[in-house]
């Protein structure tokens, strides 16, 4: 068992449709469902999931057969299968072939028997009993797979699959609809095709349809389980697990933050979903910190991209050749750029945000922003008041602008930012001196400050592009003069490579890095803005499927403070789809 979906409970809704005599197409679908059920059971058992089913006799027997085989092959272990049956049927076990003790011996969880309900007619008794059974199935499940189903052509009101699909929709459970396999599932989808856009399974309508068309039942089962593993389902798990805890990490890199902003803007626009409510924690360093704070304050990523496009040349005035020459000379003696210019632009941009003004705790999501205290030679992490810091005094929470200035005060580019610590003054400089790639800072915050099991962490990390060959050319002068031009970029790149390698080893396939090589080597070359923006959009398109499935899907995270999102929802501007967007 590899544990890809440990503890995830998957409700198999439906039945194998009865085929009409001499209808070869329907018989093929029936056989395909039978093979698929056994394939799905095998994959789910192997990956640590639990199949939940309401004991429809046709499907139940196929699941039990698969369970017996898996138990035999695995050395006698009980399998992840939970059968729930209504007393309406189990009161006559011989007639309905119900053996609760046999099920208990085979299955990891004891079968559940729901009471028989009352009614004025036998039909009412049956329907009320089935309604109670469905409620219990819903309580026990994280995800629903609807397949086949009877009664659609004969008496639609009796068809159970549509009722169970509606339950999934009402309770916002991720849903997989395999309409290509026929039955009531297919009929209901033909009646309500918009359901494919409301499944909360991370797939587009086209991807969902293509999934059900896969010829191999084994491949279909594997693809569904792999997709389930990417979803932030509310899993009924033990205390040391739970739903995935999603982290977004944004690197430093000066004006190259245009690349990051373009990536985020593309994803928000195409998915029509906001970044802030799809991540439990956002970490950002330097230019990544400016972006992280903006996202936390409710700014759409497109507005942040516009900030770089429109204000970048004023913050980094390097477009004029004469200015670059003079700045290059003065840069040996004083900081290259004015911190007041950056401060004024940040105050204006953040001030217009839905959550602008006030302290960092106005953020709509948890934030972690690395900096460095040059006065005391100590690492600093600015954060929202989460975890053990939840009860700190309001006066100790920095403002968004101060935090952004502190994390972006790159040595020689900007002066250190004087601010107050909890007990002593601080002179803050760019967090990139120790955590330009803030992934390990964020991981430590999740595990040690918030108590999140590392197995739950799903991390998306976005760079600001990198130089492919910093040391690719020979250094003729081996002393300080030869290294002076390369050393900053070299140390930033090796730091990022180290962090990237650590995250791959600690998180495995729960870590996704998005970055690309570029020719933009300096932190302040505003002439590269258009090239970086275009490159960001192209890279975002390449990673779109993975990100929309694993992170920006239809299941937002829980607000980090109760009632926070509801209070400001009217002020949040949703991304708008433009002509030509996907």
């Amino acid at each position: 068992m590899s544990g890809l979906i440990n503890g995830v409970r998957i409700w198999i809704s439906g039945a194998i449709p009865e085929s009409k005599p001499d209808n070869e197409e329907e018989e093929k679908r029936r056989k395909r469902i039978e093979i698929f059920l056994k394939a799905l059971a095998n994959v789910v058992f192997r990956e640590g999931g639990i199949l939940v089913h309401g004991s429809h006799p046709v499907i139940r027997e196929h699941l039990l057969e698969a369970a017996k085989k898996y138990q035999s092959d695995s050395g006698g272990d009980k399998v992840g299968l939970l059968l729930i049956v209504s007393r309406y049927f189990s009161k006559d076990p011989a007639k309905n072939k119900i053996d609760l003790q046999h099920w208990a011996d085979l299955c990891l969880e004891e079968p559940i028997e729901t009471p028989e309900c009352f009614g004025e007619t036998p039909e009412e008794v049956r329907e009320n009993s089935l309604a109670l059974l469905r409620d219990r199935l819903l309580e026990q499940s994280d995800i629903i797979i609807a397949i086949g189903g009877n009664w659609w052509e004969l008496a639609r009101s009796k068809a159970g699959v549509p009722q169970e699909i509606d339950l999934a929709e009402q309770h916002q459970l991720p849903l997989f609809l395999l309409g290509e396999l026929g039955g009531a599932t297919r009929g209901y989808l033909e009646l309500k095709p918009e359901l494919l856009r409301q499944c909360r399974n991370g797939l587009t309508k086209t991807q969902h349809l293509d999934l059900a068309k896969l010829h191999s039942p084994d491949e279909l089962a594997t693809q569904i389980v792999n997709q389930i593993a990417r979803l932030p389902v509310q899993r009924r798990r033990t205390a040391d697990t739970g739903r995935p805890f999603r982290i977004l990490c944004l690197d430093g890199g000066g004006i190259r933050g245009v690349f990051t902003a373009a990536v985020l803007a593309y994803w928000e626009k195409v998915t029509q979903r906001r970044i802030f409510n799809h991540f439990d924690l956002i970490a950002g360093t330097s230019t990544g910190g400016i972006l992280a704070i903006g996202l936390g304050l409710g700014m759409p990523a497109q507005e942040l991209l516009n900030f770089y496009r429109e204000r970048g040349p004023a913050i980094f005035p390097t477009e004029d050749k004469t200015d670059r020459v003079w700045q290059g000379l003065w840069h040996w003696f004083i900081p290259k750029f004015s911190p007041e210019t950056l401060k004024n632009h940040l105050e204006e941009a953040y001030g217009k945000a839905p959550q602008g003004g006030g302290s960092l705790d106005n953020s709509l999501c948890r934030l972690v922003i690395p900096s460095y205290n040059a006065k005391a030679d100590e690492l600093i992490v600015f954060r929202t008041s989460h975890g053990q810091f939840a009860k700190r005094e309001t006066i100790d929470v920095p403002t968004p602008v101060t935090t952004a200035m502190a994390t972006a005060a790159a040595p020689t580019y900007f002066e250190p930012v004087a601010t107050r610590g909890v007990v002593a003054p601080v002179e803050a400089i760019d967090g990139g001196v120790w955590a330009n790639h803030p992934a390990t800072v964020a991981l430590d915050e999740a595990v040690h400050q918030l108590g999140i099991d590392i197995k739950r962490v799903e991390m998306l990390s976005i760079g600001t592009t990198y130089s492919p060959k910093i040391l690719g050319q020979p250094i003729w002068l081996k002393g300080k003069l030869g290294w002076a031009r390369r050393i900053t970029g070299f140390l930033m790149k090796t730091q990022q490579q180290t962090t990237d390698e650590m995250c791959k080893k600690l998180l495995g396939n729960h870590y996704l890095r998005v970055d690309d090589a570029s020719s933009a080597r300096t932190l302040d070359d505003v002439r590269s803005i258009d090239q970086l923006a275009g490159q960001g959009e192209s890279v975002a398109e390449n990673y779109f499927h993975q990100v929309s499935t694993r992170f920006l899907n239809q299941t937002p995270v829980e607000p980090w403070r109760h009632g926070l999102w509801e209070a400001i929802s009217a002020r949040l501007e949703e991304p708008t789809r433009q002509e030509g967007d996907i």
Side-chain angles (χ1 to χ4, degrees), residues 521-541:
R521 298 196 176 190
T522 65
L523 306 180
D524 58 355
D525 187 1
V526 295
R527 296 170 299 174
S528 63
I529 286 177
D530 288 340
Q531 175 244 314
L532 287 165
Q535 187 173 2
E537 182 171 335
S538 176
V539 170
E541 185 176 1

Side-chain angles (χ1 to χ4, degrees), residues 143-155:
I143 285 174
I144 298 182
I145 298 176
I147 182 171
N150 290 316
W151 292 104
W152 185 255
E153 294 182 1
L154 297 175

Side-chain angles (χ1 to χ4, degrees), residues 206-240:
T206 301
Q207 290 165 348
H208 202 148
L209 290 171
D210 289 344
L211 184 70
K213 292 176 183 177
L214 288 174
H215 180 71
S216 166
D218 288 311
E219 186 180 357
L220 175 59
T222 300
Q223 292 279 9
I224 289 175
V225 169
N226 286 341
Q227 186 66 19
I228 289 172
R230 300 185 179 105
L231 296 177
V233 291
Q234 302 291 337
R235 302 173 182 177
R236 291 167 176 78
R237 292 178 159 197
T238 56
D240 63 342

Side-chain angles (χ1 to χ4, degrees), residues 117-275:
C117 294
F118 298 102
E120 295 183 1
T121 65
E123 187 64 23
E124 268 191 25
V125 171
R126 182 181 185 277
E127 291 305 313
N128 292 341
S129 298
L130 286 174
L132 182 61
L133 173 65
R134 291 188 181 103
D135 286 343
R136 184 57 61 88
L137 285 161
L138 183 69
E139 291 172 4
Q140 292 293 322
S141 303
D142 302 310
I143 285 174
I144 298 182
I145 298 176
I147 182 171
N150 290 316
W151 292 104
W152 185 255
E153 294 182 1
L154 297 175
R156 291 186 181 182
S157 62
K158 289 187 177 182
V161 169
Q163 298 178 53
E164 291 162 10
I165 291 173
D166 289 345
L167 278 176
E169 179 65 21
Q170 292 165 19
H171 292 268
Q172 299 186 347
L173 263 63
L175 174 65
F176 290 85
L177 299 171
L178 304 185
E180 285 293 316
L181 299 182
T185 305
R186 180 177 186 170
Y188 199 46
L189 269 177
E190 290 174 348
L191 183 68
K192 298 179 67 174
E194 68 275 10
L195 282 171
L196 286 176
R197 297 187 182 276
Q198 303 164 8
C199 288
R200 297 181 176 84
N201 60 19
L203 299 175
T204 65
K205 178 180 178 180
T206 301
Q207 290 165 348
H208 202 148
L209 290 171
D210 289 344
L211 184 70
K213 292 176 183 177
L214 288 174
H215 180 71
S216 166
D218 288 311
E219 186 180 357
L220 175 59
T222 300
Q223 292 279 9
I224 289 175
V225 169
N226 286 341
Q227 186 66 19
I228 289 172
R230 300 185 179 105
L231 296 177
V233 291
Q234 302 291 337
R235 302 173 182 177
R236 291 167 176 78
R237 292 178 159 197
T238 56
D240 63 342
T241 57
R243 70 167 180 80
F245 185 90
R246 286 178 282 185
I247 300 175
L248 174 64
C249 297
L250 307 176
D251 286 14
I255 197 63
R256 294 185 308 194
V258 169
F259 171 85
T260 313
V263 168
L264 295 171
Y266 179 89
W267 288 337
E268 275 199 342
K269 191 172 289 184
V270 175
T271 63
Q272 293 291 285
R273 295 164 200 147
R274 297 297 297 275
I275 299 291

Side-chain angles (χ1 to χ4, degrees), residues 248-264 267 283 285 287-288 291 308 436-439 460-467 492 496-497 500 511-518 532 535-536 539-540 543:
L248 174 64
C249 297
L250 307 176
D251 286 14
I255 197 63
R256 294 185 308 194
V258 169
F259 171 85
T260 313
V263 168
L264 295 171
W267 288 337
T285 300
T287 195
L291 290 168
Y308 280 81
N436 200 61
H437 182 335
L460 172 61
S461 173
I462 307 175
T464 56
T465 74
Y466 58 89
S467 300
M492 285 177 63
Q496 290 167 354
Q497 288 173 325
D500 193 44
Y511 171 72
L512 178 62
R513 176 71 170 171
V514 176
D515 205 0
D516 198 22
S518 82
L532 287 165
Q535 187 173 2
V539 170
Y543 283 91

Side-chain angles (χ1 to χ4, degrees), residues 264-479:
L264 295 171
Y266 179 89
W267 288 337
E268 275 199 342
K269 191 172 289 184
V270 175
T271 63
Q272 293 291 285
R273 295 164 200 147
R274 297 297 297 275
I275 299 291
F276 78 83
N277 63 356
H278 281 78
F279 289 90
D280 296 280
L281 176 68
I282 299 181
T285 300
S286 193
T287 195
I290 291 174
L291 290 168
I293 294 167
L295 293 169
L297 295 179
M299 294 177 68
Q302 183 63 49
E303 281 189 13
L304 290 165
L305 177 57
N306 294 343
F307 173 84
Y308 280 81
R309 282 185 178 278
E310 297 166 6
R311 302 171 188 263
I315 297 168
F316 300 114
T318 59
E319 288 184 294
D320 184 80
K321 185 175 182 180
T322 304
D323 286 343
R324 290 199 301 274
V325 172
W326 279 109
Q327 285 169 343
L329 291 172
W330 283 112
H331 197 190
W332 288 95
F333 307 101
I334 61 174
K336 194 172 184 179
F337 302 113
S338 164
E340 286 302 314
T341 302
L342 175 60
K343 181 180 179 182
N344 292 338
H345 284 294
L346 287 172
E347 285 178 341
E348 185 177 349
Y350 288 169
K352 294 178 181 177
Q355 288 292 91
S359 74
L360 204 62
D361 280 351
N362 277 14
S363 174
L364 298 167
C365 57
R366 299 179 190 88
L367 295 176
V368 171
I369 311 293
S371 184
Y372 189 85
N373 185 359
K375 197 176 187 72
D377 283 348
E378 290 180 341
L379 310 180
I380 306 174
V381 175
F382 294 100
R383 51 169 65 82
T384 46
S385 298
H386 55 255
Q388 67 178 5
F389 300 93
K391 296 183 179 180
R392 66 180 173 178
E393 297 290 333
T394 303
I395 195 173
D396 294 328
V397 184
T399 67
V401 172
T402 298
T403 307
M405 294 284 292
T407 191
T412 79
Y413 285 87
F414 294 104
E415 294 177 0
V417 175
T419 184
R420 67 183 305 277
V422 177
V423 297
V426 169
E427 284 191 4
I429 63 174
D430 198 312
V433 299
W434 69 279
N436 200 61
H437 182 335
T440 51
V441 181
L443 189 58
D444 175 76
E445 192 79 9
V447 173
H448 294 110
Q449 298 296 342
L450 296 169
I452 304 300
D453 190 299
I454 195 170
K455 296 175 184 176
R456 290 177 53 195
V457 172
E458 285 277 346
M459 182 179 288
L460 172 61
S461 173
I462 307 175
T464 56
T465 74
Y466 58 89
S467 300
K469 290 186 179 181
I470 291 179
L471 299 183
Q473 302 299 323
I475 301 176
W476 301 111
L477 297 174
K478 307 299 183 182

